[in-house]
Amino acid sequence: MGKATGFLEIERHDRKYAPVAERVKHFQEFVVPLSEKETRDQAARCMNCGIPYCHGTGSVQPGTPGCPVNNQIPDFNDLVYQGNWQEASRNLHSTNNFPEFTGRICPAPCEASCTLNIDDNPVTIKTIECAIVDRAWENGWVKPEMAPAKTGKKVAVVGSGPAGLACAQQLARAGHDVHVFEKFAKAGGLLRYGIPDFKMEKGVIDRRVAQMEAEGVTFHYGAHVGNGGTDPRKLVEEYDAVALTGGAEASRDLLIPGRDLDGIHFAMDFLPQQNRRVGNEPLGATREILAEGKHVVVIGGGDTGSDCIGTSFRQGALSVTQLEIMPAPPDHENKGLTWPNWPLKMRTSSSQAEGATREYAVLTQKFSGTDGKVRKLHGVAVDDKFKPVAGTEFELDAELVLLAMGFVHPVHEGLLKTLGVELDPRGNVQANTADYQTSLSKVFSAGDMRRGQSLVVWAIREGRLCARSIDTFLMGSTGLPG
């Protein structure tokens, strides 16, 4: 694939970011794309290795190498190298409904499993993927794919995040009458209300929704199923199948002294507000949470915490400190032990590079404040067993504290309790990976609601495979890809 000697002749060269001083002034995307020649040169580096781990193993176990949606990466690399962009787009869309999502926000496990990563120079797969799909949109190659015939079957999809969107699109293309129920005013789930616009502008979602509507998908907005709105039991009665794809939205809390002080919020109370501002969506009676002029502390070292950092800087925070209870990871992984799996190593996100202070192996013990408002965070260093180390106590100025410690499971109240679906030991919806069916007949589940907090690319995979199972359930067989 690519040029036989490309990896020997061409150095890795990836997309750049706009300067920090410039990009923190706005909420638009700031990645600087490669030119066509540069992209084709990077595709030429794909070395036709004997076993392309970048494809993914096809396993559903987290941590396995490669691409969860099994993108045919060497194939589209070769097509880009040859300049056949339209065929590269067709190839890419055959495995991934929304490559413009993953081309922007996926951490690229495919690159970690690239053979050239043994030498720390993997093919720029994520950049090439994004270039393919962006070119496809620019040239009008992305069109509605209409079902050749209608089946007469109706399917309800609850939730319009990446799993729900992928599931709905696949089912519509199989000929079913698909209705998506979304509690918010617009589709996208965390893609729209969690991921900041500077990482992915929301027009990227809007054009996909328009494509899906042209394919026959009906979106119902402001439809909070099971929470005083649509009764989920009615959906089960009226539809031939129901897919639960509502995500894992129960945030992990930090129940320590001072937690009730004003100014301490979950990340997912903070981030959606800014996305709504950018999207000109009214906040209604919701009290505004803003970082302007404040010392901000973000607790949690993952992607959500990073999104809080970038948003805080753009709002005008005085300082941003990120705390992580885990020890600092090594600067470099041991390739012999980790490759082709996803390695644990030090990574710096674009938001962290904008000026955040990061502290590792620290435990937040309490908050203190005046007049009911948080003013200080009190912490301590911890050892390798997460026990406090005497004499390492510290205080931080903290006028806004954002809890970004992940999500424990889907929200149980409302939808899940009303339906009475069985839950697994972690509190997720119990649905096996063979057919994605829950304990209730006709009811399926996919994405974070089924497997727990994970990546957008895993949600797309789950939605596609769930659609395949629903199609088989309704029709006895399926032509949807596995």
Side-chain angles (χ1 to χ4, degrees):
M1 297 296 172
K3 186 179 182 181
T5 56
F7 71 98
L8 296 172
E9 301 170 8
I10 303 169
E11 295 296 323
R12 175 183 165 94
H13 177 56
D14 209 350
R15 295 175 289 186
K16 304 296 184 185
Y17 298 141
V20 171
E22 176 185 319
R23 70 189 194 230
V24 296
K25 296 177 181 178
H26 59 76
F27 282 88
Q28 287 86 49
E29 293 179 14
F30 53 81
V31 175
V32 181
L34 299 181
S35 68
E36 178 179 2
K37 181 184 183 304
E38 289 172 324
T39 306
R40 291 176 64 181
D41 283 347
Q42 291 305 304
R45 299 182 65 246
C46 190
M47 63 183 294
N48 195 17
C49 49
I51 300 176
Y53 286 102
C54 59
H55 272 260
T57 62
S59 169
V60 294
Q61 295 301 318
T64 52
C67 177
V69 293
N70 305 115
N71 281 340
Q72 301 168 78
I73 293 164
D75 299 74
F76 69 61
N77 280 337
D78 184 55
L79 291 164
V80 168
Y81 167 60
Q82 300 294 341
N84 194 345
W85 291 90
Q86 189 167 3
E87 182 61 18
S89 172
R90 187 205 62 77
N91 181 292
L92 180 56
H93 280 95
S94 72
T95 55
N96 186 350
N97 295 67
F98 316 116
E100 64 271 44
F101 300 169
T102 50
R104 285 167 167 79
I105 59 178
C106 183
C110 53
E111 293 189 23
S113 63
C114 176
T115 300
L116 289 176
N117 190 40
I118 295 174
D119 192 36
D120 283 322
N121 284 295
V123 175
T124 56
I125 301 168
K126 177 178 174 180
T127 290
I128 295 167
E129 175 184 35
C130 197
I132 293 170
V133 66
D134 284 353
R135 182 175 288 263
W137 279 106
E138 290 166 6
N139 286 277
W141 300 333
V142 182
K143 300 180 184 297
E145 298 179 24
M146 314 305 295
K150 296 296 184 182
T151 64
K153 303 290 187 180
K154 289 180 63 178
V155 183
V157 177
V158 182
S160 69
L165 291 176
C167 183
Q169 185 167 57
Q170 293 296 95
L171 288 169
R173 290 174 176 177
H176 304 303
D177 181 15
V178 182
H179 292 253
V180 177
F181 293 82
E182 170 54 55
K183 65 182 177 182
F184 293 129
K186 297 179 182 178
L190 289 185
L191 292 170
R192 185 178 297 275
Y193 294 105
I195 294 170
D197 286 71
F198 57 79
K199 287 175 68 174
M200 188 177 77
E201 294 176 17
K202 303 314 175 229
V204 172
I205 304 171
D206 295 336
R207 64 190 181 188
R208 279 295 180 185
V209 170
Q211 180 198 32
M212 292 175 63
E213 288 175 334
E215 292 170 346
V217 178
T218 302
F219 287 87
H220 303 269
Y221 297 118
H224 201 165
V225 178
N227 289 72
T230 304
D231 189 331
R233 294 167 295 192
K234 186 177 180 182
L235 292 184
V236 176
E237 292 173 4
E238 296 181 352
Y239 288 80
D240 297 296
V242 176
L244 308 179
T245 61
E249 294 186 311
S251 298
R252 182 174 283 108
D253 207 344
L254 186 61
L255 301 178
I256 58 175
R259 170 64 180 88
D260 57 344
L261 289 169
D262 187 22
I264 303 172
H265 305 275
F266 288 118
M268 291 312 300
D269 290 330
F270 171 68
L271 293 172
Q273 285 195 7
Q274 184 57 48
N275 288 7
R276 288 191 172 94
R277 292 185 194 100
V278 175
N280 296 314
E281 243 186 89
L283 298 181
T286 304
R287 182 183 172 191
E288 285 198 291
I289 306 170
L290 290 166
E292 182 179 6
K294 297 175 182 176
H295 295 289
V296 179
V297 178
V298 178
I299 302 179
D303 288 341
T304 303
S306 182
D307 293 342
C308 289
I309 292 171
T311 301
S312 295
F313 279 130
R314 283 160 180 77
Q315 289 183 357
L318 293 179
S319 68
V320 182
T321 304
Q322 186 176 33
L323 305 182
E324 170 61 71
I325 194 171
M326 300 296 291
D331 288 335
H332 301 285
E333 73 270 36
N334 183 329
K335 300 289 185 182
L337 293 177
T338 61
W339 183 87
N341 293 309
W342 181 254
L344 175 65
K345 67 176 182 178
M346 181 66 73
R347 293 179 172 86
T348 300
S349 72
S350 60
S351 291
Q352 290 166 335
E354 290 168 358
T357 299
R358 290 191 280 174
E359 301 291 345
Y360 291 90
V362 295
L363 173 70
T364 303
Q365 295 178 303
K366 67 176 182 178
F367 302 107
S368 63
T370 56
D371 300 323
K373 298 180 179 180
V374 67
R375 290 288 182 265
K376 296 285 185 180
L377 178 148
H378 303 262
V380 64
V382 294
D383 60 22
D384 56 3
K385 295 183 179 179
F386 305 107
K387 300 297 183 183
V389 177
T392 64
E393 295 81 4
F394 65 90
E395 292 182 0
L396 284 177
D397 289 333
E399 296 159 301
L400 174 62
V401 177
L402 301 172
L403 305 180
M405 302 175 294
F407 305 87
V408 290
H409 50 62
V411 174
H412 295 161
E413 291 71 23
L415 170 64
L416 301 184
K417 283 190 175 180
T418 301
L419 279 179
V421 293
E422 289 184 10
L423 305 176
D424 68 16
R426 295 191 300 151
N428 301 317
V429 174
Q430 181 70 54
N432 63 58
T433 53
D435 59 13
Y436 291 81
Q437 190 155 352
T438 70
S439 57
L440 301 179
S441 177
K442 296 170 57 176
V443 180
F444 298 75
S445 186
D448 290 2
M449 183 167 269
R450 187 195 76 86
R451 73 189 308 270
Q453 179 189 1
S454 190
L455 305 176
V456 167
V457 68
W458 272 101
I460 294 172
R461 174 197 173 99
E462 291 259 315
R464 286 171 63 89
L465 294 181
C466 182
R468 177 179 167 85
S469 293
I470 292 172
D471 191 37
T472 302
F473 170 78
L474 295 175
M475 309 304 293
S477 62
T478 182
L480 294 175

